[in-house]
Amino acid sequence: MADYPGPVEAARAYLAGRRVRRAVFAVATPVTSDRVALTNSPWDFSIEATRAALGLDRLEVVNDFTAQAMAIPLLRLDERRQIGGGAPVPGQAIGVIGAGTGLGVCGLLPVGNRWQPIPGEGGHVSLAAHDDVEALIVARLRRRFGHVSNERLLSGPGLINLASALAAIEGVELEITDPLQVAERARSGQCDFCRAALERFSGLLGAAAGDLALTLGARGGIYVGGGLAKRLGDLFDEERFRARFVAKGRLARFLEPIPTYLVTRRDPGLLGAAVLALAP
């Protein structure tokens, strides 16, 4: 992306003279109008002007997590791994949540013979503390950021925030600038705060997934994508995730039958973008 001034130039380089009629761009930013400004890139473009410049019949620009969500109904059994029990109810809503550089959230509703995505910015809902330690973490982050969203902890940068906050509670200053350092130090046993941060991450992601299941009534299942949980491997505590998923008091029995899955496919976003491009 940094090699090109905008999407027109990038698309032309990718196509290398080939002609296409339809295209889908999946971007890491909300898409609410013809004008699209990427959050972590200088690209700022008009959808219609880009379509015309590329000679396309149709150009659709969607949030990148919407594209990931559209891949879910097409996943093979070997492209997902179930976490805990439960079984999907056919024809019911599906929820998709995933931590990466941010926290993506999307819903899927069955409409006739197709799936309708419900895009949104659910990663920025307010984070709720589950216990006294999480209340201390939230209090520290509130002083730093003002609003403490789920994304402040459930993302790559969120792992750093988690480990640093846990250390600060004990009066220790932790020097970590890369989420991979949190995982490496946890795996090697070098840093108890990093290990604790990953345990908290797993539980908090489960809690956020449970909130999504309640919000959508997602008896078709909840899928964890986004890449971070998959890359953590055995450092992602699936038992802690599932325990916090169902820990919703009086609604625990509603959540217990809902299955949760870890998406293991390497490129779900490309598959979902293809689904959107081929849609009538």
Side-chain angles (χ1 to χ4, degrees):
M1 183 177 288
D3 296 333
Y4 303 99
V8 172
E9 295 80 5
R12 285 174 175 164
Y14 174 76
L15 292 170
R18 295 186 296 271
R19 181 71 188 275
V20 298
R21 295 175 55 194
R22 299 179 178 182
V24 173
F25 292 172
V27 296
T29 194
V31 181
T32 58
S33 67
D34 177 71
R35 201 81 205 170
V36 178
L38 272 64
T39 304
N40 296 312
S41 165
W43 284 9
D44 184 326
F45 62 95
S46 157
I47 297 173
E48 175 55 27
T50 301
R51 183 203 64 76
L54 292 173
L56 300 170
D57 293 341
R58 189 177 86 187
L59 172 61
E60 189 169 357
V61 180
V62 300
N63 178 268
D64 59 344
F65 212 74
T66 300
Q68 288 200 40
M70 290 301 294
I72 297 302
L74 296 180
L75 292 180
R76 300 192 307 264
L77 292 178
D78 64 345
E79 293 175 332
R80 67 185 193 187
R81 183 172 73 250
Q82 186 162 353
I83 302 171
V89 178
Q92 295 295 307
I94 290 172
V96 191
I97 187 168
T101 54
L103 180 66
V105 176
C106 190
L108 291 173
L109 288 180
V111 179
N113 60 356
R114 64 185 180 89
W115 288 93
Q116 176 65 43
I118 310 172
E121 290 298 319
H124 296 277
V125 302
S126 300
L127 186 141
H130 181 71
D131 57 25
D132 291 344
V133 173
E134 288 179 7
L136 291 173
I137 293 170
V138 171
R140 286 185 172 275
L141 294 180
R142 187 182 299 116
R143 289 195 291 270
R144 179 179 174 189
F145 296 113
H147 176 245
V148 183
S149 67
N150 279 341
E151 185 174 278
R152 290 296 187 192
L153 295 179
L154 296 175
S155 60
L159 278 181
I160 299 173
N161 290 337
L162 259 175
S164 299
L166 286 166
I169 290 169
E170 300 298 327
V172 177
E173 184 175 348
L174 202 60
E175 294 186 5
I176 288 182
T177 57
D178 188 327
L180 290 178
Q181 290 178 295
V182 179
E184 289 166 1
R185 294 185 188 184
R187 192 179 298 281
S188 67
Q190 286 180 276
C191 178
D192 291 340
F193 299 117
C194 294
R195 168 64 72 170
L198 287 165
E199 291 174 353
R200 290 280 171 184
F201 170 86
S202 301
L204 286 164
L205 185 58
D211 289 344
L212 179 60
L214 290 175
T215 301
L216 292 176
R219 295 191 295 145
I222 294 289
Y223 289 76
V224 178
L228 183 53
K230 181 175 63 176
R231 285 196 298 272
L232 289 174
D234 60 358
L235 291 174
F236 177 54
D237 190 331
E238 295 184 0
E239 289 186 10
R240 193 176 295 265
F241 169 91
R242 184 67 189 185
R244 287 287 296 273
F245 176 80
V246 299
K248 301 296 181 184
R250 292 170 294 172
L251 269 296
R253 289 188 177 181
F254 175 82
L255 291 168
E256 285 169 356
I258 294 178
T260 48
Y261 303 94
L262 179 66
V263 177
T264 57
R265 183 184 171 103
R266 185 177 60 87
D267 58 353
L270 286 177
L271 176 61
V275 171
L276 291 166
L278 294 171

